[in-house]
Amino acid sequence: MSEQVKKPVKITETVLRDAHQSLLATRMTTEQMLPIIDKMDKVGYHSVECWGGATFDASLRFLKEDPWERLRKLRDGFKHTKLQMLFRGQNILGYRHYADDVVDYFVRKSVANGIDIIRIFDALNDLRNLETSVKATVRESGHAQVALSYTLGDAYTLEYWKDIAKRIEDMGANSICIKDMAGLLVPYAATELVTALKESTDLPIQLHTHYTSGVASMTYMKAVEAGCDVIDTAMSPLALGTSQPATEVMVETFKGTPYDTGLDQGILSEIAEYFRPIREEALESGLLNPKVLGVNIKTLLYQVPGGMLSNLVSQLKEAHAEDKYYEVLEEIPRVRKDFGEPPLVTPSSQIVGTQAVLNVLMGERYKMITKESKALLKGEYGQTVKPFNPEVQKKAIGDEEPITCRPADLIPNELESLEKEMAGYKQQDEDVLSYALFPQVATEFFKYREAQKTKIDAAKADTENKVYPV
């Protein structure tokens, strides 16, 4: 690229969502976020990712906060910056597929309460599971970004990624994100992938990765040189390890080049200073485990995400079988192949990992099959890139008829009955959505809210971006 042609790379800041989800078990409170918002709003970020993912569940379950209230307060503070959320397609922010009417309503309320960009992904890259949420986002005048769950394997050729990108464009999405949840994308592969996607689609390309395997900053550099439009970064106190590359480092890297972000390091350093005590406090309390800050090269060797590795260790510890660690690591790719080679991301990573542990502990493969494995092999999560191993599928579901349609086609509308179930607790329209995703956790929260005598003005809840007393 000649020196004259400027193509500034844009930055999505993850410190208010993925960074603290990855490092601090999603425990940052709204009160910790609010004082720095005014300063963050002056940076000129492409967007700030601040909602969705695990923040919704954690707010209700651990922080006793209403996630919708958090969103309204953030919207009120960010006057000039687009707000972004992560959305699991037909799973919304929960762990099962929901009816189309729930998905549709959740998108509508997310946009009405202040979300501009919805990043939508499916664990299996089954685009049928994204149709409802993409259509709803576009209809509500939100920005629908479809995320590809990046993974490695025979099926995942450049042709596969080019084809899926073209289909995403045809769906009506506004942009594409390469979602590298396990930190598997290495620098030169990023050059190839971004170049290929740019050839097959006119949509902007964003890249999201984690520092787990130690290559993420170099991967960003090669991706940007290949034409990547936006990268996800986190303020340095909550960067690296299982989080994202540091915002200030990437801004400095591209300074004086055609990709110069134009962001002010002075403002960024003031924001970093704000988050530093939050990091120190988390280290002292044990909330931030120094282990997650290192480089875990096993991620690349075994293609297993960092979070999945730690789950594996704790499962083996419980079974007093830590000596079986390497056997399980070798069994994971075999199970993944039997299961149609899905990307390893929530919930497929947990399903494959747990089944691999069982196979090793039982001394016989598929002697015991989890109910989640059965659901996956039956087609309840959608279609995998490769077919299932027919013998393993038969062993799991017997003579049951596998599901070949879009799984949500079999789920009748749910909103009306959910409204009836939780009517006694309702203070705002959005409460039915909190209940739909996490019935028990939401009910506990509603009881807590009543005990605190907290009232929400339901008439104004999603029509005006007001700050309400908590």
Side-chain angles (χ1 to χ4, degrees):
M1 183 180 276
S2 75
E3 282 302 310
Q4 283 69 46
V5 182
K6 294 226 182 303
K7 189 181 181 292
V9 63
K10 296 171 184 166
I11 301 272
T12 288
E13 176 59 64
T14 69
V15 73
L16 300 185
R17 204 286 296 178
D18 202 357
H20 76 102
Q21 179 175 319
S22 297
L23 296 180
L24 311 180
T26 329
R27 294 298 201 278
M28 201 188 291
T29 64
T30 306
E31 293 310 312
Q32 286 176 306
M33 297 174 184
L34 294 179
I36 196 63
I37 285 175
D38 189 47
K39 198 148 276 175
M40 287 179 73
D41 198 30
K42 292 184 171 74
V43 172
Y45 288 120
H46 168 69
S47 64
V48 169
E49 190 199 47
C50 60
W51 212 60
T55 62
F56 197 93
D57 183 3
S59 291
L60 291 167
R61 192 185 299 266
F62 302 115
L63 305 177
K64 293 288 177 268
E65 286 187 9
D66 179 3
W68 300 99
E69 283 279 277
R70 170 181 293 187
L71 175 53
R72 291 192 281 266
K73 288 182 174 188
L74 292 172
R75 179 71 284 164
D76 200 57
F78 281 109
K79 307 261 191 290
H80 312 288
T81 309
K82 287 192 161 85
L83 300 187
Q84 183 167 324
M85 74 173 288
L86 182 67
F87 194 96
R88 298 191 195 117
Q90 212 68 31
N91 289 27
I92 311 181
L93 304 175
Y95 301 101
R96 68 171 176 90
H97 280 208
Y98 297 89
D100 285 335
D101 65 340
V102 180
V103 175
D104 197 87
Y105 195 48
F106 201 101
V107 167
R108 198 182 338 155
K109 286 297 187 182
S110 299
V111 174
N113 281 281
I115 288 293
D116 300 290
I117 301 170
I118 304 186
R119 178 180 291 170
I120 308 161
F121 80 99
D122 176 67
L124 305 183
N125 287 329
D126 183 343
L127 298 188
R128 299 174 307 170
N129 294 334
L130 307 179
E131 286 165 7
T132 304
S133 34
V134 169
K135 272 185 197 144
T137 305
V138 172
R139 189 195 63 231
E140 296 301 318
S141 303
H143 177 114
Q145 179 177 84
V146 170
L148 301 169
S149 298
Y150 179 77
T151 191
L152 303 169
D154 301 343
Y156 300 95
T157 61
L158 285 178
E159 284 312 309
Y160 166 82
W161 296 118
K162 283 168 81 164
D163 173 61
I164 205 167
K166 193 80 206 93
R167 285 162 58 208
I168 288 166
E169 189 169 27
D170 293 343
M171 274 174 88
N174 302 102
S175 64
I176 291 174
C177 174
I178 303 161
K179 180 177 164 58
D180 179 24
M181 55 280 166
L184 297 176
L185 185 61
V186 294
Y188 288 100
T191 302
E192 288 181 355
L193 180 58
V194 173
T195 304
L197 292 179
K198 282 283 176 184
E199 283 168 8
S200 66
T201 173
D202 293 326
L203 295 180
I205 306 291
Q206 183 154 358
L207 178 54
H208 170 92
T209 189
H210 291 253
Y211 217 91
T212 324
S213 57
V215 298
S217 293
M218 293 180 280
T219 296
Y220 275 172
M221 193 170 184
K222 298 308 284 182
V224 168
E225 287 171 355
C228 179
D229 301 280
V230 193
I231 54 175
D232 285 16
T233 65
M235 290 308 304
S236 55
L238 293 179
L240 309 185
T242 49
S243 178
Q244 277 73 54
T247 306
E248 308 96 301
V249 173
M250 296 318 300
V251 166
E252 198 61 30
T253 298
F254 295 117
K255 203 172 175 183
T257 74
Y259 316 105
D260 195 328
T261 62
L263 302 190
D264 183 338
Q265 287 284 24
I267 299 177
L268 292 175
S269 75
E270 288 175 40
I271 297 166
E273 281 307 313
Y274 177 82
F275 285 105
R276 202 156 279 123
I278 293 174
R279 173 199 169 95
E280 296 309 319
E281 197 182 305
L283 272 168
E284 281 167 29
S285 69
L287 187 59
L288 175 52
N289 183 335
K291 276 185 187 165
V292 301
L293 297 173
V295 166
N296 192 342
I297 199 62
K298 288 198 185 91
T299 303
L300 288 179
L301 295 178
Y302 297 103
Q303 297 168 27
V304 174
M308 189 175 166
L309 279 173
S310 49
N311 269 353
L312 204 67
V313 172
S314 61
Q315 284 179 345
L316 290 173
K317 216 173 200 166
E318 268 176 47
H320 305 292
E322 287 152 283
D323 57 321
K324 305 278 192 206
Y325 180 67
Y326 287 101
E327 271 182 69
V328 172
L329 279 181
E330 282 160 22
E331 176 64 3
I332 285 171
R334 291 195 286 262
V335 173
R336 183 178 172 227
K337 208 169 181 91
D338 289 338
F339 286 12
E341 221 172 277
L344 295 176
V345 63
T346 305
S348 54
S349 52
Q350 290 88 332
I351 297 170
V352 168
T354 304
Q355 191 59 55
V357 168
L358 281 177
N359 287 0
V360 169
L361 293 183
M362 293 288 154
E364 182 190 321
R365 302 187 78 225
Y366 306 111
K367 185 178 183 178
M368 188 194 251
I369 301 177
T370 67
K371 70 174 195 302
E372 289 80 12
S373 290
K374 283 177 185 166
L376 180 73
L377 290 163
K378 193 180 174 185
E380 284 179 27
Y381 291 95
Q383 192 177 5
T384 49
V385 175
K386 284 196 163 178
F388 301 129
N389 177 332
E391 287 170 29
V392 175
Q393 187 184 34
K394 178 84 174 153
K395 201 166 185 182
I397 68 169
D399 295 326
E400 280 186 69
E401 197 62 40
I403 295 167
T404 53
C405 65
R406 183 184 72 113
D409 287 344
L410 304 174
I411 307 173
N413 281 349
E414 300 178 90
L415 265 180
E416 207 176 310
S417 58
L418 289 165
E419 285 275 10
K420 282 178 190 153
E421 281 175 34
M422 55 73 65
Y425 295 112
K426 185 172 173 176
Q427 284 193 24
Q428 58 178 341
D429 287 351
E430 292 78 4
D431 285 344
V432 72
L433 292 165
S434 303
Y435 179 81
L437 266 53
F438 305 104
Q440 286 169 299
V441 173
T443 302
E444 287 303 309
F445 171 75
F446 296 151
K447 287 176 182 168
Y448 169 84
R449 184 172 67 183
E450 277 182 11
Q452 298 294 307
K453 305 270 189 288
T454 309
K455 279 277 177 254
I456 286 169
D457 185 344
K460 292 182 180 175
D462 75 352
T463 49
E464 294 177 40
N465 296 315
K466 302 275 187 191
V467 178
Y468 296 94
V470 178

